[in-house]
Amino acid sequence: MEKIKLILFLTLLCSCNTSEKKITKVERISLEAEIITDSIHASLPGRLIVFNDYVVWEEVFASDKFLHVVDIQTRKEVGRMGNVGQGPKEFSAPNISRSYDDYVLVSDFGTKHQAYFSIERFLAGEDYYIPVPNSIKINPKSNFRLLEIEKGQFITLQPNSDKLLEHWNRPYFYSFGKFPIPESLRKRDRFSYFQGNVAYNPDLKKLIYTSYRFPYMAIYTKSGKSFKLQTEVKGKFDYSVSSGGEFKRSRDSKEGPRELTLTLDYIVTVDRDLSIDQTDENEVGRDPMKLPHTVFIYDYEGNLLKIANLGFPILRIAADTKNNTLYAIVVMDDYVLVKYEL
């Protein structure tokens, strides 16, 4: 278990470079942060989720409860959810994502244990734990991404399969999705190379995938029961292939976005603006002060519109598809939860 958490730690702190796409003009702007709370005391804040007037953030190395709920209006933490452990309502390596309505979908890494946490029930002081019914429960097959796009419909990221993504609508599923590099090059270490983020806009029916290791974004549009590849945003990267077929990227090759979120009008990623930040990615390691200060803002066609400097190293971002407000955990003297208007 400690090994799994160490992998998560190293993966989550790895920063990223820009995905390159030719566009007419990119606007560079600076945004002013509005502090929500400066009381985030954790060795590593995990994923961030927005629910109307509340923000939920995950404490990766929590020893008791792993989800913190913050009231945006009062700027105070109203409580914590999710028990750490091996019991029937406990999670040893939780993976969280936003589900439909006010639910957080929680799955345990490497197991079939899944549950919904209801924000409404939690705020009412009721039992917020709701088991995912066996009729729709999905085995994520040892990956870090399980996303419920509609009630009972799931997307899983499957880097070890022939196709990158799976769409589950129990009992049926189908595989789809392109890999960032050609088939002939993805022979080894698939799990490491093809992990990334997925996000879904239910109103536009757009599914977005970004790769951690490559400057690559794919935009899919849901039509009926299937997804069609709409746009690929590809950057340059250098690599070599050994005589044995082993893929090896060059030391100074660009990597992909570490964070992805969707707003009403934009796809937002955390990327390094190389025109003002020449930080050597190989020197970043576990130092959060060396994380990028910028987010890249795309439209839903994949066009890069703006590069916004948030003023601080960025660890996490999150948003709601009903507006263009961006929430982030940034690094000041400590970790701080802030918001920006895009």
Side-chain angles (χ1 to χ4, degrees):
M1 188 52 58
E2 291 302 319
K3 182 178 179 181
I4 292 174
K5 290 188 176 181
L6 178 59
I7 292 173
L8 282 169
F9 182 90
L10 294 174
T11 300
L12 291 168
L13 276 184
C14 180
S15 56
C16 42
N17 293 318
T18 175
S19 296
E20 297 176 354
K21 182 178 175 70
K22 291 183 179 180
I23 57 173
T24 304
K25 182 180 180 181
V26 177
E27 182 183 5
R28 283 177 165 79
I29 60 175
S30 296
L31 297 178
E32 184 175 350
E34 179 182 338
I35 295 178
I36 302 298
T37 176
D38 58 2
S39 57
I40 294 181
H41 302 298
S43 58
L44 182 65
R47 290 181 189 151
L48 193 63
I49 304 177
V50 182
F51 292 95
N52 299 318
D53 292 329
Y54 297 90
V55 174
V56 176
W57 64 272
E58 177 191 12
E59 185 174 347
V60 175
F61 299 111
S63 58
D64 46 11
K65 294 184 181 297
F66 57 86
L67 290 183
H68 298 246
V69 183
V70 177
D71 187 320
I72 296 171
Q73 302 303 320
T74 64
R75 306 186 182 190
K76 294 181 180 179
E77 183 174 300
V78 295
R80 298 170 65 185
M81 299 189 297
N83 295 315
V84 177
Q86 303 289 334
K89 289 189 176 183
E90 298 175 337
F91 295 82
S92 56
N95 168 34
I96 72 167
S97 63
R98 180 168 183 170
S99 186
Y100 62 95
D101 295 336
D102 73 332
Y103 294 146
V104 180
L105 175 62
V106 185
S107 58
D108 221 6
F109 176 76
T111 77
K112 294 182 179 181
H113 184 192
Q114 294 154 31
Y116 299 115
F117 289 0
S118 168
I119 300 297
E120 181 179 357
R121 291 189 183 186
F122 171 76
L123 296 173
E126 301 172 358
D127 185 3
Y128 56 81
Y129 181 99
I130 305 171
V132 174
N134 288 330
S135 60
I136 65 171
K137 187 176 292 186
I138 301 297
N139 182 2
K141 299 180 183 178
S142 300
N143 70 81
F144 293 110
R145 292 291 176 263
L146 176 62
L147 178 67
E148 188 167 23
I149 59 172
E150 298 177 27
K151 186 175 182 179
Q153 292 192 41
F154 299 85
I155 294 291
T156 62
L157 187 61
Q158 301 292 347
N160 289 320
S161 300
D162 292 334
K163 297 291 186 179
L164 185 61
L165 297 158
E166 287 183 354
H167 177 212
W168 290 82
N169 187 2
R170 294 290 293 235
Y172 305 106
F173 82 95
Y174 78 96
S175 300
F176 69 100
K178 292 184 64 176
F179 286 85
I181 61 174
E183 168 75 28
S184 60
L185 301 181
R186 44 186 175 88
K187 299 296 185 183
R188 302 183 181 181
D189 203 15
R190 295 162 60 95
F191 180 82
S192 172
Y193 273 105
F194 303 124
Q195 282 295 333
N197 282 307
V198 288
Y200 185 70
N201 185 319
D203 298 311
L204 298 179
K205 297 189 180 299
K206 303 287 188 183
L207 176 71
I208 317 299
Y209 162 77
T210 57
S211 168
Y212 288 153
R213 302 296 298 275
F214 304 95
Y216 178 86
M217 175 193 295
I219 303 173
Y220 298 87
T221 301
K222 187 174 186 288
S223 178
K225 296 181 179 180
S226 63
F227 285 86
K228 180 179 180 181
L229 179 62
Q230 170 191 310
T231 306
E232 292 179 284
V233 182
K234 297 181 179 180
K236 297 179 180 179
F237 59 92
D238 299 321
Y239 60 89
S240 62
V241 182
S242 70
S243 58
E246 182 177 0
F247 173 81
K248 185 177 181 180
R249 60 185 301 127
S250 64
R251 178 177 173 82
D252 58 351
S253 282
K254 294 180 178 180
E255 294 191 344
R258 183 53 49 197
E259 288 282 305
L260 164 71
T261 194
L262 306 180
T263 75
L264 176 66
D265 298 311
Y266 305 120
I267 300 168
V268 185
T269 64
V270 174
D271 274 315
R272 194 178 300 281
D273 184 358
L274 297 180
S275 69
I276 60 172
D277 183 356
Q278 296 294 323
T279 300
D280 184 351
E281 300 299 339
N282 300 294
E283 301 297 325
V284 173
R286 302 184 187 183
D287 187 354
M289 296 305 296
K290 293 182 179 180
L291 292 172
H293 292 215
T294 48
V295 294
F296 283 45
I297 302 172
Y298 300 82
D299 64 19
Y300 278 95
E301 300 302 315
N303 299 304
L304 179 59
L305 305 177
K306 304 175 184 179
I307 298 176
N309 191 328
L310 302 192
F312 306 96
I314 308 162
L315 184 67
R316 302 283 175 261
I317 57 173
D320 192 312
T321 56
K322 302 301 182 184
N323 54 57
N324 288 318
T325 301
L326 178 69
Y327 294 85
I329 294 178
V330 301
V331 187
M332 296 183 185
D333 292 331
D334 295 306
Y335 294 118
V336 178
L337 176 62
V338 295
K339 76 173 184 177
Y340 302 85
E341 296 299 330
L342 300 182

